[in-house]
Structure formats: structure tokens, C-alpha cells
Amino acid sequence: MSEKLTIAPKTNHKSLLFSEIALDLDNLQAHFAVLGMPYGAAYTPQDYNNDQTNAPTAIRQASDRVIRSPERFDFDIDGPLLQGRDDVRFVDCGDVPADLSDPRGHFRRAELATRKILAAGAIPIVLGGDHGITNPILRAFDDQGPITIVHLDAHLDWRDEVNGIKDGLSSPMRRASELPYVKEIIQIGMRASGSARQEEADYARKWGAEIITAYELHDTGMEAVLARIPDGGRYYLTIDADGLDPTCMPAVAGPAPGGVTFVQARKLIHGLVKKGRVVGMDFVEIQPEKDINQHSCMIAGRLILNFIGAAIRAGYCDTTR
């Protein structure tokens, strides 16, 4: 019997945005596939089961705050979620489980699950968890390149290691830069301070990362930022919740004023969808215990909804591009 790569989500809303649950990844038929990845690579024993591990459940729980019904008209996407089409399949593949006897096994399972989602021709939409979850997800794209990483975050995430851990939340861009099929990294919303030191900032710039601070974004606008992203690319979008301004995303560990607004993030998503093909995305680092009236989880859901609706309208479900 083959190993189970995912388990059913444990919520009243068992799936994101009323999507169908699909745990049989070997026979997956989907255009968009949600994957919960609650656990990262902890820097301390206390971090292994921190509140960010509850985020996939919390985001799903906010589904009826995000959209009242998939059939209802939504002005963000100029139509219902699936644009009135019955041939578009949007599924939730559940959560990648952890195993205390195999502390890094969930990274292997996440990579395998993502490979199966991609093999089915679906676009993975991954719910973290801390930002370390991006590492195994990106490793599954080794036959999907070249890839342009578009990274929305307050923090640089170029540490080589922290406490000897190289796959942690401070390192996803460093690990991405080592993948031969990652050709560009565009980082948007940088501000304040995080784990990066001068050496990480220097290393990122030397590698060729395009670093756009939140203040440059506010001064020039998202249209100017989009113009700096190569056209016709295959984009992987990774959104750290703290990249958004804390006025719209309060449930984060490292809030920093002056962040990306919901309107700007939405414009980025719609712009990327039109410029090329978004081949995958993740949303990470929400801390549900810090949320206010499910606001952060609702914002995450709204951005995911905008991606799905925009992608369908752009023809992602019509042909393989």
C-alpha cells in the first residue's frame, strides 16, 4: 500500500472556498489544487508546533467570509469564482501530515504531493505554515522551468542557515537561488528589519535579485513594479503575510508599518496572470491567534480567489501554455 501523502483537513469548512476534497493524488483531475503545509523546519523545539501551523485550518474556516457562495457574482473577478464554468475543477488536497518519528518527512511528502499535483496539470495553491514550506514546494518544479520567483514580503529571506537549519523560514530565497531552473527573483515590499544582515543583502544583490522596497512601490505604483518583471514568464508567487500592511494583515509575528496594501497585492496578482503564467503560489506565516474577526484569513482567501478568477478569465483552463 502506497504512503499517504496528505490527510483530510480538520475544519467545519473542510476545504478552501467550498472546493471539492481530493485526497487521491494519483488520480487527481484538477486545474487548481489547494495543499495545506502546516509545518516548516523549526529553529527551536518550541517552534515545531507554533501557531502558524494552524493557519491552513484557519484560512479554510474563513471561507464563507471570503465568498458567500461560489455561484454568486464577485466584483473583484467580474463574475462568480469559477466564472460560471462547470468544466473547471478546483479541489482541496488536504494537509501534509507531520510525523514526530520522522521530523523532516513532511518536507519529502510536500514535495511528492506537489509533484503529483503538477503531473496532473493542476496549479498548486499552498497554505502555510511558516515560510520554510516554500523550499520543498519549489523543489518539485525541477521540470517546470525556467521559473521566475515573485516574492511579496517585508523580509529578505536570504539567510543560508539559522541554528544549523538551512530549510527554515529565513532561507527560502537563498534556497530558491540555488535551483538551476530559477532564473529571476523579484522581491516586493521589503521594509524594516528581520533576520537578514548586511551580508545577506549583499549576497542577494550580487546574485541578481530585484529588490523593491515597500516605499519604492508606494512612490512608483504597482504598474511600474510589474513593468520590471519579465513578460511571458512562468511565475511562482510566494506571499508572506507580513509583506502586507498590518492594517489589513494584523495576524503576523513581525508586523512592520508601510506594507503592501490589499489593492496593490491584488493588482500584482492580476498583472502576473496577464503577463505570463503563474505556475504556483503559496501564502504563509499567518498566526491565527493574533487575528481580528478572521480579517487576515479573509484577506488571504480574497487574494487566492482573485488569482483563481483572474487565471480562468485569462484562459489558464482552456489550453496549456
Side-chain angles (χ1 to χ4, degrees), residues 51 70 77 85 117 155 256 273 291:
D51 190 47
I77 53 176
R85 292 177 53 171
I117 289 169
H155 307 120
V273 166
D291 211 355

Side-chain angles (χ1 to χ4, degrees), residues 59-140:
I59 295 170
R60 291 182 177 108
Q61 287 278 35
S63 286
D64 59 1
R65 303 291 304 282
V66 175
I67 185 171
R68 297 301 183 187
S69 166
E71 292 77 30
R72 296 191 186 181
F73 185 91
D74 194 297
F75 280 94
D76 282 22
I77 53 176
D78 197 28
L81 174 60
L82 301 184
Q83 300 296 304
R85 292 177 53 171
D86 57 12
D87 62 325
V88 174
R89 292 205 67 201
F90 169 41
V91 305
D92 192 320
C93 297
D95 291 342
V96 176
D99 181 350
L100 290 177
S101 68
D102 182 12
R104 296 299 300 277
H106 57 287
F107 269 40
R108 176 180 56 81
R109 286 186 286 274
E111 181 180 339
L112 287 173
T114 305
R115 288 185 183 279
K116 289 178 182 291
I117 289 169
L118 292 170
I123 298 173
I125 300 171
V126 184
L127 308 177
D130 70 39
H131 217 155
I133 68 99
T134 302
N135 298 323
I137 303 303
L138 282 177
R139 288 197 279 267

Side-chain angles (χ1 to χ4, degrees), residues 19-316:
S19 56
E20 175 188 351
I21 293 178
L23 302 183
D24 182 1
L25 302 188
D26 290 318
N27 296 291
L28 184 66
Q29 294 182 352
H31 295 95
F32 306 96
V34 174
L35 181 67
M37 180 57 174
Y39 304 99
Y43 292 142
T44 70
Q46 294 78 16
D47 290 337
Y48 191 79
N49 193 32
N50 64 31
D51 190 47
Q52 291 173 357
T53 65
N54 298 317
T57 295
I59 295 170
R60 291 182 177 108
Q61 287 278 35
S63 286
D64 59 1
R65 303 291 304 282
V66 175
I67 185 171
R68 297 301 183 187
S69 166
E71 292 77 30
R72 296 191 186 181
F73 185 91
D74 194 297
F75 280 94
D76 282 22
I77 53 176
D78 197 28
L81 174 60
L82 301 184
Q83 300 296 304
R85 292 177 53 171
D86 57 12
D87 62 325
V88 174
R89 292 205 67 201
F90 169 41
V91 305
D92 192 320
C93 297
D95 291 342
V96 176
D99 181 350
L100 290 177
S101 68
D102 182 12
R104 296 299 300 277
H106 57 287
F107 269 40
R108 176 180 56 81
R109 286 186 286 274
E111 181 180 339
L112 287 173
T114 305
R115 288 185 183 279
K116 289 178 182 291
I117 289 169
L118 292 170
I123 298 173
I125 300 171
V126 184
L127 308 177
D130 70 39
H131 217 155
I133 68 99
T134 302
N135 298 323
I137 303 303
L138 282 177
R139 288 197 279 267
F141 282 80
D142 56 357
D143 61 351
Q144 301 287 320
I147 300 291
T148 295
I149 306 294
V150 180
H151 173 214
L152 195 158
D153 201 328
H155 307 120
L156 198 61
D157 291 355
W158 277 79
R159 286 288 292 266
D160 185 43
E161 57 83 24
V162 175
N163 294 344
I165 303 297
K166 297 175 76 73
D167 259 342
L169 61 90
S170 297
S171 303
M173 293 305 103
R174 184 67 165 256
R175 298 289 82 82
S177 74
E178 297 165 351
L179 300 173
Y181 44 93
V182 170
K183 300 305 181 184
E184 295 99 9
I185 298 177
I186 294 95
Q187 300 185 256
I188 303 167
M190 305 294 111
R191 63 195 189 280
S193 62
S195 65
R197 302 159 297 189
Q198 184 67 52
E199 62 196 82
E200 279 83 40
D202 292 343
Y203 190 96
R205 291 189 173 105
K206 183 178 179 181
W207 185 88
E210 186 87 18
I211 300 172
I212 302 166
T213 68
Y215 310 111
E216 182 178 358
L217 166 63
H218 297 322
D219 286 343
T220 64
M222 187 56 79
E223 293 88 349
V225 170
L226 282 163
R228 292 164 64 174
I229 300 173
D231 289 335
R234 293 174 61 78
Y235 312 116
Y236 184 90
L237 175 62
T238 177
I239 301 177
D240 187 317
D242 64 35
L244 292 156
D245 192 77
T247 56
C248 70
M249 185 61 64
V252 298
V260 180
T261 68
F262 172 82
V263 172
Q264 290 169 332
R266 177 185 176 273
K267 189 170 289 187
L268 172 65
I269 289 169
H270 283 256
L272 286 176
V273 166
K274 292 175 183 176
K275 284 176 72 73
R277 186 171 182 88
V278 177
V279 295
M281 72 172 291
D282 62 53
F283 204 109
V284 301
E285 301 222 352
I286 285 179
Q287 289 196 340
E289 67 181 8
K290 292 183 169 67
D291 211 355
I292 301 168
N293 195 26
Q294 295 183 300
H295 190 71
S296 301
C297 293
M298 184 269 292
I299 292 291
R302 291 299 304 174
L303 291 174
I304 292 168
L305 174 147
N306 270 271
F307 166 61
I308 294 170
I312 295 170
R313 289 180 66 84
Y316 279 32

